[in-house]
Amino acid sequence: MTAEDKKGLSIRNLFGKKKADGAPAKSGKEGSGEEKGAPIPAVEGEDLDGFMKRIGLSLDNKKGSQSGTGRNAVSARQTDEGEPAGDGVNATLPDAGAVTDTPPTRAPPQSSHDPKLEAVPDHRPPRFEPAKKTVWSEKKPVLEETVISVDQINDLSGLILPKGATFQIEEIKIQDRSNIFSFKREGGAAAGKDLQKADLLDAGIKKVSEAASEVQEEAGKGGLLSRLNPINVIRKVPLEYNPRTHGPLVDLTFRPRPGVEQTEVYPVNEPYAYVRITYDNATHEYLYEVLEPKLTPAEVDLFRDIKERIFERLDINTQNVLEEIAKKTLRDVTDDIIHDYGISLTPVQREKILYAMYKEFLGNGMIDPLMHDRYIEDISCDGVNANLFVYHNRYESMRTNLIYKSSDELDSFVTKLAQRAGKYISIAEPMLDATMSDGSRIQMTLGTEVTAHGSTYTIRKFKDEPITPTDLIEWRTFSPLSIAFFWMAVESGKSCIFAGGTASGKTTSLNAISLFMPPLAKIVTLEDTRELKLPHPNWIPSITRTSFDTSGKGEIDMYELLRAALRQRPEYILVGEVRGKEALTLFQAMSTGHVTYSTIHADSVASIVHRLENPPLNVPRNMLSALDLVSVQVQARIGGQRIRRNKQIIEILDIDPRTNELITNEVFRWHPATDEITYSGKSYVLEEIMESRGWDEERMREELKMRQEVLEWMRIKKIRNFRDVGNILVQYYRDPAGTMEKIRAELYGEA
């Protein structure tokens, strides 16, 4: 390139104005004020510094402008004499690509013999417009952004990224997408009419009541059974409770209160426990009311004494035996104690006592009905004399009618929860995270050391059956095409991080997407508490362990688990959540070819970058390019209902060598106004898969179409169980043609 060419190129880049090759420059004097926005002519033999000085723009001023944006907006520039330049100079320089109301008037052509007005040929490469804005200071540049889109670098992307990756894909939508798994009013008011027809028998405990009246005036301590002597009588087989014969255990009659109306009633542990949802028109709140068998004062006294005798007689750990065996053992011992003291109970009274025993020894005490309610996601106890709160997946946060009225009762229950989890909680260590026997996650505090209102606990419940891709499509969390995209990506070994806020569905989506892993792949999961559940036979679930003492001896954290996992030759590594130094090891594993999946608390790619780069994670920027995909989850509201949606699926492409920014491409986006997830029309991940498998665009479109049909077929057939879904995916993995033949025959009636 000649000096003239460089000079012309510098001038054109400065103004962001493209001129046609061979077009003569505009005549006229600088700063004349004529034809604002028109190009300023160059002077032969004048270098760039001289030109800029002639127009009143110094190099320092140029450096002070926003570079890298293609928008050289410079205003109020001063001349060498300190006076403002003329209109042609003082006006804002034209924005590249901007649309103005009045286009600049083209100057008349000049004669070619004028040496000062020679036209400069255009040797520029195709213009691009980077979106990154850089603010220059005297010391060093300060980057405002860390992530840019591939669309923002335009033609320069061809120097960094592979070409192509743009093709249209058909999105399959079969039948009406009505919610098959909607909330059903099971056991509502209508279903409970039969139970309401029969009144509860209000008979007292015959011999117990007589004995109680005889010793009313006697002094002394001890329970009721302590005042009775065992008697030897012929053992009679107790009459078993029958709801049809003996009536209901629970009174479901609704007694209206001013401004309160019943919404629905449904069973959670029939025939013992039910839930009534009411609405208070004064406070505009829903109330969660637990309905259980009510014990009379005499029955309460009997229950406490039987419980003491059971502690004396039983010396077994109920956690070491099957639930049915434990129930039978507890039932037999209770019947023995009742018989030994000659107590006569009606079937209803006996069943109520037995239910109270089940809750105390085998269940979860006061919150046992809440643990049986499949619509409850969270249970929160805030202290003594405070109503328990629950999070219902339809009514959201609600106050319950359950209250711990004594600190001793609450402290004892928290201690029992810790012991059942195989851990220890005390005043010395009053905080504990544990996993309950059903897989629920619990956080506890003991006493008033760290919580002013007494002991607290928060239980995060998980479904017995994990969420599947069928559920995600049914609930519109993902579209069929986006799930098919993930299917291709997971099968092809693309790493992904699921990001989002609390309760946005990160772990749920991770568990569902993991079903797409090849059936015999070696999988290692790393978690603090057990949440992930896979049908794969070659799966190693790993869990962290707390220390045995205060010195930290014996502790196994996520970092140690990850180091051990890398020695197990895994094909897929799943980390429940990255939050510490294990993040660096995780990205090192990505860089060495390990396929990893994890979750992180963040609401965008930029937030992920900021969290990863800063303590305690400390992942270098150049290692982030090893990540392939980011799925951003969000919890929102549509029509007054809480929903979970996949906000974005973003591809991590590379790092811009000029700015060190992460280059991304948005593949799918959720539109809240229409509640639709749309495909952008460009995917570099699909492009890489096509190249690795030797497919053309038509073959890729057909593959995505078939996988959408499989997913829609499972949704229509209501195939939700994770093992059933896994079996179908295995069938497709091993025999795609045969599987599609059967599925299309049912979908479209094809032979």
Side-chain angles (χ1 to χ4, degrees):
M1 184 180 294
T2 64
E4 293 287 336
D5 296 337
K6 292 181 180 180
K7 177 184 63 178
L9 180 59
S10 300
I11 295 172
R12 285 187 291 270
N13 288 340
L14 175 64
F15 288 91
K17 190 76 173 178
K18 183 176 180 179
K19 296 189 291 184
D21 293 342
K26 178 180 168 37
S27 62
K29 297 181 180 179
E30 58 183 88
S32 62
E34 298 177 359
E35 303 180 14
K36 299 178 182 180
I40 300 177
V43 179
E44 186 174 3
E46 186 180 30
D47 58 6
L48 180 59
D49 293 344
F51 171 80
M52 298 176 66
K53 189 173 184 180
R54 178 165 57 87
I55 64 172
L57 179 65
S58 65
L59 287 173
D60 293 336
N61 290 334
K62 179 179 181 296
K63 292 181 181 180
S65 64
Q66 294 183 346
S67 62
T69 64
R71 303 178 183 271
N72 297 304
V74 182
S75 60
R77 293 187 298 272
Q78 303 294 323
T79 61
D80 294 340
E81 292 79 10
E83 298 295 330
D87 294 341
V89 176
N90 191 41
T92 301
L93 297 179
D95 192 349
V99 179
T100 58
D101 296 333
T102 305
T105 306
R106 182 177 292 275
Q110 303 294 322
S111 60
S112 60
H113 64 275
D114 190 346
K116 296 184 180 182
L117 300 176
E118 292 288 339
V120 181
D122 190 359
H123 296 286
R124 294 187 304 163
R127 184 174 62 86
F128 64 92
E129 185 179 351
K132 166 87 168 62
K133 296 182 177 181
T134 306
V135 178
W136 293 92
S137 64
E138 297 180 355
K139 297 182 180 180
K140 60 180 181 179
V142 179
L143 302 180
E144 295 182 353
E145 301 290 343
T146 59
V147 179
I148 60 173
S149 172
V150 65
D151 297 328
Q152 296 174 299
I153 60 176
N154 291 340
D155 296 327
L156 191 65
S157 61
L159 303 177
I160 308 172
L161 306 170
K163 298 181 180 180
T166 303
F167 54 93
Q168 298 299 319
I169 303 174
E170 179 185 2
E171 184 169 0
I172 303 297
K173 295 182 180 180
I174 303 175
Q175 297 185 3
D176 181 30
R177 299 182 62 182
S178 59
N179 197 338
I180 299 175
F181 312 127
S182 60
F183 185 91
K184 298 180 180 180
R185 296 178 57 180
E186 301 178 15
K193 288 183 178 179
D194 294 337
L195 297 176
Q196 298 177 16
K197 291 181 180 179
D199 296 330
L200 290 175
L201 300 177
D202 195 22
I205 304 174
K206 298 178 182 179
K207 293 189 177 181
V208 174
S209 301
E210 295 174 2
S213 62
E214 293 177 1
V215 298
Q216 255 182 347
E217 299 178 357
E218 296 182 5
K221 299 181 179 181
L224 185 59
L225 293 183
S226 65
R227 305 168 204 165
L228 300 176
N229 295 320
I231 55 178
N232 295 321
V233 297
I234 299 176
R235 175 81 179 262
K236 295 182 179 180
V237 179
L239 183 62
E240 295 294 334
Y241 166 76
N242 188 332
R244 296 184 178 179
T245 306
H246 306 107
L249 297 174
V250 183
D251 184 9
L252 298 179
T253 305
F254 178 65
R255 298 170 177 82
R257 301 185 297 272
V260 179
E261 58 184 29
Q262 178 175 291
T263 303
E264 64 178 318
V265 178
Y266 60 91
V268 292
N269 186 17
E270 203 170 16
Y272 306 108
Y274 298 81
V275 169
R276 175 185 287 124
I277 306 295
T278 60
Y279 182 77
D280 193 336
N281 292 290
T283 61
H284 303 286
E285 294 179 351
Y286 287 99
L287 176 65
Y288 186 95
E289 185 178 356
V290 177
L291 306 175
E292 294 182 287
K294 293 183 178 180
L295 300 178
T296 64
E299 292 169 345
V300 171
D301 197 7
L302 175 64
F303 164 73
R304 291 174 178 172
D305 287 328
I306 293 177
K307 184 171 69 172
E308 293 180 4
R309 299 296 184 268
I310 289 177
F311 279 122
E312 297 175 358
R313 293 195 179 191
L314 288 181
D315 190 18
I316 61 172
N317 188 352
T318 57
Q319 292 183 330
N320 298 331
V321 298
L322 297 176
E323 183 178 1
E324 293 301 323
I325 297 177
K327 281 187 175 182
K328 186 179 184 305
T329 303
L330 184 62
R331 197 178 190 94
D332 293 341
V333 173
T334 303
D335 287 337
D336 290 342
I337 295 174
I338 294 174
H339 170 265
D340 290 344
Y341 289 92
I343 301 173
S344 178
L345 303 176
T346 67
V348 172
Q349 295 163 348
R350 173 176 172 269
E351 199 68 22
K352 290 195 297 182
I353 295 293
L354 289 174
Y355 173 64
M357 293 297 172
Y358 293 153
K359 289 196 332 177
E360 182 69 21
F361 289 94
L362 304 178
N364 295 284
M366 181 188 297
I367 65 171
D368 192 72
L370 307 183
M371 299 300 296
H372 280 86
D373 192 346
R374 58 177 179 160
Y375 303 114
I376 296 293
E377 296 184 6
D378 295 275
I379 304 171
S380 177
C381 173
D382 302 332
V384 182
N385 295 321
N387 295 80
L388 271 67
F389 281 80
V390 297
Y391 195 96
H392 200 282
N393 60 11
R394 178 168 181 173
Y395 300 99
E396 300 183 2
S397 185
M398 290 190 295
R399 191 192 310 267
T400 72
N401 61 335
L402 305 178
I403 301 176
Y404 290 99
K405 297 182 179 180
S406 109
S407 59
D408 293 339
E409 179 187 11
L410 180 55
D411 294 348
S412 177
F413 181 70
V414 169
T415 304
K416 183 169 67 175
L417 288 177
Q419 292 173 349
R420 287 185 175 182
K423 297 189 177 182
Y424 177 75
I425 190 171
S426 65
I427 300 300
E429 297 180 6
M431 300 181 65
L432 178 65
D433 294 327
T435 302
M436 303 179 68
S437 57
D438 64 345
S440 300
R441 186 172 60 197
I442 182 171
Q443 195 282 329
M444 298 172 281
T445 64
L446 181 64
T448 58
E449 302 296 324
V450 292
T451 48
H453 296 163
S455 299
T456 66
Y457 61 83
T458 301
I459 299 175
R460 179 81 179 275
K461 290 182 59 182
F462 298 101
K463 295 182 178 294
D464 296 333
E465 298 291 336
I467 302 299
T468 63
T470 307
D471 297 323
L472 297 180
I473 295 174
E474 182 62 38
W475 300 333
R476 297 190 178 185
T477 304
F478 289 79
S479 67
L481 180 57
S482 61
I483 291 292
F485 171 81
F486 261 121
W487 189 350
M488 292 290 303
V490 172
E491 187 180 294
S492 302
K494 303 299 182 182
S495 299
C496 178
I497 285 183
F498 292 85
T502 303
S504 61
K506 302 184 298 296
T507 305
T508 299
S509 299
L510 172 60
N511 201 138
I513 298 302
S514 63
L515 295 179
F516 296 133
M517 297 175 184
L520 299 180
K522 178 69 172 294
I523 304 171
V524 179
T525 59
L526 317 175
E527 301 176 88
D528 291 323
T529 57
R530 286 286 304 275
E531 299 181 43
L532 301 176
K533 194 172 184 179
L534 306 178
H536 297 72
N538 196 6
W539 166 42
I540 301 178
S542 304
I543 306 174
T544 58
R545 187 184 70 179
T546 57
S547 169
F548 296 119
D549 52 30
T550 57
S551 64
K553 184 179 180 180
E555 180 181 3
I556 301 184
D557 56 11
M558 195 73 72
Y559 175 68
E560 294 294 333
L561 288 179
L562 184 56
R563 288 182 58 191
L566 295 177
R567 302 187 187 102
Q568 297 169 351
R569 197 181 174 274
E571 297 179 61
Y572 293 87
I573 300 176
L574 278 64
V575 181
E577 181 182 353
V578 289
R579 63 182 70 170
K581 60 181 180 179
E582 72 276 358
L584 178 59
T585 306
L586 186 70
F587 275 86
Q588 288 175 340
M590 289 186 198
S591 303
T592 56
H594 292 84
V595 184
T596 64
Y597 294 88
S598 181
T599 68
I600 191 172
H601 279 82
D603 58 1
S604 65
V605 178
S607 300
I608 295 175
V609 174
H610 292 156
R611 281 208 62 191
L612 292 174
E613 287 186 327
N614 293 293
L617 281 68
N618 298 319
V619 179
R621 176 77 61 87
N622 58 1
M623 297 186 66
L624 300 183
S625 59
L627 183 64
D628 297 301
L629 295 168
V630 171
S631 175
V632 182
Q633 311 284 121
V634 65
Q635 183 178 169
R637 286 184 176 273
I638 291 183
Q641 294 185 348
R642 188 198 64 167
I643 61 171
R644 293 183 176 98
R645 292 291 185 267
N646 174 242
K647 183 180 179 181
Q648 292 174 295
I649 298 178
I650 301 172
E651 298 172 339
I652 307 299
L653 304 180
D654 210 324
I655 294 181
D656 192 334
R658 306 165 301 148
T659 60
N660 201 35
E661 294 171 330
L662 210 62
I663 305 175
T664 63
N665 175 54
E666 186 181 60
V667 189
F668 292 91
R669 170 177 283 273
W670 173 60
H671 301 276
T674 59
D675 193 19
E676 293 289 332
I677 298 174
T678 59
Y679 169 59
S680 67
K682 179 186 296 183
S683 172
Y684 288 86
V685 168
L686 294 180
E687 177 77 11
E688 293 176 3
I689 296 174
M690 289 167 54
E691 294 180 359
S692 63
R693 300 191 180 190
W695 293 354
D696 56 8
E697 293 185 6
E698 186 62 31
R699 178 68 178 86
M700 174 60 75
R701 281 193 289 265
E702 178 63 21
E703 185 67 29
L704 290 172
K705 179 182 178 182
M706 291 192 299
R707 300 192 182 212
Q708 289 181 77
E709 291 172 335
V710 174
L711 295 168
E712 286 288 88
W713 175 79
M714 289 192 294
R715 181 186 67 84
I716 294 171
K717 301 292 288 186
K718 303 181 183 179
I719 301 175
R720 306 180 53 194
N721 182 272
F722 77 110
R723 297 192 183 277
D724 296 336
V725 173
N727 290 334
I728 293 173
L729 297 179
V730 171
Q731 293 179 24
Y732 182 86
Y733 184 81
R734 295 175 177 173
D735 184 17
T739 304
M740 289 308 305
E741 183 179 355
K742 297 178 182 178
I743 290 177
R744 285 175 171 173
E746 295 192 26
L747 284 178
Y748 311 116
E750 299 178 359

